């Protein structure tokens, strides 16, 4: 995706940094997914770009596991 649209690399990086700091920051518009993706979450990177992820416990902390990055159509 980044090879086809190199301008989005900075948007993805900014969203990932924000996601690592606060997965529920209002700018990300984080929401639970339903159906086949139940148990996963998604956040917005840009107009039609999404990050799909899940939360996992590791020892005594919580981690964000990335599942997919792509357009709305690609990830859902």
């Amino acid at each position: 995706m980044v090879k086809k649209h190199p301008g989005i690399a900075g948007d993805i990086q900014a969203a990932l940094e924000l996601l690592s700091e606060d997965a529920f920051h209002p700018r990300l518009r984080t929401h639970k997914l339903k159906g086949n993706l139940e148990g996963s979450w998604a956040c917005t990177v840009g107009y039609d770009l999404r990050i799909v992820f899940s939360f996992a416990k590791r020892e005594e902390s919580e981690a964000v596991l990335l599942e997919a990055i792509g357009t709305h159509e690609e990830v859902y």
Side-chain angles (χ1 to χ4, degrees), residues 9-66:
D11 293 341
I12 293 171
Q13 181 177 350
L16 290 172
E17 288 174 6
L18 193 53
L19 184 62
S20 72
E21 294 169 12
D22 179 4
F24 296 98
H25 189 283
R27 191 174 104 198
L28 295 173
R29 297 188 308 172
T30 302
H31 57 281
K32 286 183 181 182
L33 298 177
K34 298 177 184 177
N36 293 338
L37 295 173
E38 188 171 350
S40 296
W41 295 75
C43 68
T44 300
V45 175
Y47 171 71
D48 192 36
L49 194 58
R50 306 288 184 270
I51 297 174
V52 176
F53 64 95
S54 59
F55 293 105
K57 295 242 183 224
R58 178 150 195 219
E59 296 175 9
E60 293 186 22
S61 63
E62 193 168 64
V64 173
L65 299 175
L66 299 180

